[in-house]
Structure formats: C-alpha cells, structure tokens
Amino acid sequence: MTHVIITGGSSGIGLALAHIYAARGARLSLLARSLPALEAVQAELARDHRETSIHIESADVTDEDQTFAAIRRCEDAFGPCAILITSAGIVEPGRFEALSSAAFNRQIRTNLLGSVHAVRAVYAAMKERRSGRIMLVSSGAGLIGIYGYTAYCASKFALHGFADALRSEAKPHGVSVSVCFPPDTETPQFSRELEHRPLEATVIMGRVAPWSSATVALRIARAIDKGQFEVFFGWTLWALGRFGSAVKPVLNWWFDRGIRRIGGGGERP
Ligand SMILES: NC(=O)c1ccc[n+]([C@@H]2O[C@H](COP(=O)([O-])OP(=O)(O)OC[C@H]3O[C@@H](n4cnc5c(N)ncnc54)[C@H](OP(=O)(O)O)[C@@H]3O)[C@@H](O)[C@H]2O)c1
C-alpha cells in the first residue's frame, strides 16, 4: 500500500489531500507541530475512511533533526515513503520595513527550508529505490511579487527554483519532483492572512472568490498521479507560469495603477 507523507497535514490544503489519499486507502503519515490538532484529524480521517491507516508526528519542519527523526518514525511505521507532499507553510503579511526580522526569517525557514528538510529526509532512499514522488506546495505568490508579501514571495519563489533544479537531478533516478502554485484557497491560514493583508494587496489581487481546499487538493493529487512538474490554478496563474516575463510587466503596471488609485504605499498605521 502506498505510503504518503504530508507535512502540514493537519489543516487546510494538506488535510484536504489527506482525505483524498485516505479515500484511496493509502497509508498516511501526517506531520505538524500541534499534537492535539493531529489527533483530532486522525480521528476524523479514521471515521470518514475506514480502509486507511494514519500515523501522526508532531514536529517542527524548521528543525532539520526533528523533521528527520519524525519522518524516520513514519517510515518505521508504514514503510518507505512513496509520495511526499510538503504543505507545511505560514504567511505573515506586512510591508517589508514593518516586518520584523524574526517574522521574515520564520517564513523563509518554514516555507523554504522546512520543505527542503522533509525532502532531504526521503530523497536519498527514493533515489536508491528508483521510485518516489515529491510535491512541493508553493503559491501564486511564487510567480509574481505582491505588495506586503516580501518574505512569503521570496520563500515561495525559492521553492520553485529548488523544485526546478531538483527535478532535473531526480529524473534520471526515477524520482519525480513537482511544484504547485495554489491561488487564494479557503483554509484557516487564508482566514488568518486576510486579517493582516494590506489594502494594497487586496486591491491588486481583486476580490476573487477563494478556491475550495478540496478542489485545489484534487488537482494536486491528479498532478502527482501524472508526474506533472508544474501545477497552475486558473488562467492568470497559468499565463504567469508559462509566459511570466511577458505577462509580468503588464500585471505590475496594473498593480501599480491600482495602488496609486487608492493613494497606497503610504505610512498608514
Ligand atoms: N490558503 C491559501 O490561500 C494558500 C495559497 C497558496 C499557497 N498556500 C500554501 O499552501 C500550504 C498550506 O496552507 P494552508 O492554507 O492549508 O495553511 P493551514 O491551514 O494553516 O495549514 C498549515 C499546516 O502547516 C503546519 N505547519 C505550519 N508551520 C509548521 C512548522 N513549522 N512545522 C510543521 N508544520 C507546520 C500547520 O500545523 P501546525 O501549525 O500545528 O504546525 C498546518 O498543518 C502552505 O504552504 C501555504 O503557503 C496556501
């Protein structure tokens, strides 16, 4: 039975993915920091999907040793990891100068290095077995810079670069590496983020309805099935992903115009 490890599997997109793989009867390992949240989700999944087996690990992905040890325990319980999905992530919006170094670094450490730590924990063995699939969860904010999201964009752009380079290293060894760029998606993170999203960002991103986490997760799972490298959601993000250097100047012009119109960029409290 396929062993699927999902970091950030206790909430949002990671949890929606857990439901998909649990419905397929996979062996599931979920990693997150909060043990009570993991236990609640384990009970929920066991209730909804009787065929599945679920292992939970409380670990902080910013800590490489903790991540390695947790993933080792997952593999001891359920065997080698066939699919790794790195969905653990955080976002703390705020203009660059208003964002503390701690908040900036936390986002890089969690979103970029947290993913790298999880990949490092499974990659060598996947290569040896000549099989395995890795899906990194970036963001639409990994395709274009957004006002108030310097740290988050940096972390998610960097994940794309990591995925791009690792893909070519991994392919000759039978390991597939993918990266997805979800749009605004209804999750607990999104609700928290909205409270802190600068008005400028709301204006430039428009007031498009967020996607449901189930729809986003389904598309991610299908991309993993196909070994698809990049996964875009909606035509704007697709155009940005495929034709970024041509599309970005136009979008940036549009964004700057929107910010000017609201008299944005100033020192509002
Ligand atoms: N929602 C969106 O609009 C959106 C859009 C684009 C991309 N994304 C990306 O999608 C991924 C999932 O986001 P989401 O919206 O589903 O967020 P979410 O509902 O807040 O879930 C985040 C998950 O990551 C875990 N996590 C956070 N920091 C961690 C750490 N240091 N170590 C281990 N686990 C950690 C959380 O559990 P604990 O807090 O208990 O650790 C939780 O399980 C993130 O990478 C996010 O950047 C989201």
Side-chain angles (χ1 to χ4, degrees):
M1 237 184 301
T2 311
H3 180 193
V4 182
I5 299 181
I6 306 177
T7 72
S10 67
S11 178
I13 295 171
L15 175 57
L17 279 157
H19 273 285
I20 290 171
Y21 285 104
R24 293 183 183 185
R27 292 176 154 192
L28 262 182
S29 294
L30 309 180
L31 255 86
R33 289 165 303 179
S34 163
L35 187 58
L38 283 164
E39 285 168 345
V41 157
Q42 185 179 35
E44 173 188 320
L45 288 163
R47 192 187 56 231
D48 293 357
H49 313 277
R50 285 168 198 273
E51 303 304 307
T52 196
S53 320
I54 300 136
H55 181 82
I56 53 172
E57 283 290 338
S58 165
D60 184 337
V61 293
T62 64
D63 183 320
E64 184 167 26
D65 292 341
Q66 258 187 52
T67 309
F68 269 45
I71 289 184
R72 200 173 318 113
R73 287 192 294 272
C74 296
E75 293 195 311
D76 286 348
F78 285 163
C81 172
I83 299 175
L84 169 72
I85 303 171
T86 66
S87 189
I90 55 168
V91 57
E92 299 179 54
R95 282 200 308 267
F96 174 63
E97 74 280 14
L99 208 58
S100 68
S101 289
F104 195 101
N105 297 349
R106 201 159 40 237
Q107 292 177 74
I108 303 287
R109 284 211 316 273
T110 307
N111 301 345
L112 173 61
L113 295 179
S115 303
V116 172
H117 295 156
V119 170
R120 201 183 281 289
V122 299
Y123 180 65
M126 282 184 172
K127 258 180 80 176
E128 240 169 64
R129 293 195 308 276
R130 298 193 62 78
S131 81
R133 289 170 189 241
I134 295 169
M135 171 61 78
L136 299 154
V137 180
S138 175
S139 166
L143 296 171
I144 188 160
I146 298 169
Y147 189 110
Y149 287 79
T150 49
Y152 187 70
C153 286
S155 70
K156 295 298 190 177
F157 267 75
L159 261 185
H160 191 191
F162 172 61
D164 224 352
L166 188 66
R167 184 208 63 80
S168 67
E169 290 186 22
K171 195 173 167 67
H173 301 280
V175 178
S176 88
V177 175
S178 307
V179 57
C180 63
F181 304 89
D184 280 349
T185 306
E186 267 172 354
T187 67
Q189 171 175 308
F190 181 62
S191 311
R192 285 192 301 273
E193 174 194 339
L194 277 187
E195 290 170 27
H196 302 284
R197 179 175 280 185
L199 178 61
E200 289 85 348
T202 306
V203 167
I204 63 178
M205 286 194 265
R207 292 177 195 276
V208 181
W211 289 48
S212 79
S213 54
T215 306
V216 168
L218 190 59
R219 200 172 278 198
I220 294 172
R222 285 187 181 147
I224 295 171
D225 292 341
K226 289 187 276 186
Q228 188 182 328
F229 174 51
E230 292 169 313
V231 191
F232 305 111
F233 302 78
W235 72 268
T236 313
L237 292 181
W238 177 83
L240 262 174
R242 288 280 172 262
F243 309 105
S245 48
V247 173
K248 265 193 215 176
V250 180
L251 272 180
N252 279 332
W253 170 82
W254 181 254
F255 290 172
D256 294 345
R257 183 167 168 266
I259 291 169
R260 257 196 327 273
R261 280 195 165 172
I262 57 160
E267 296 300 312
R268 279 192 313 278

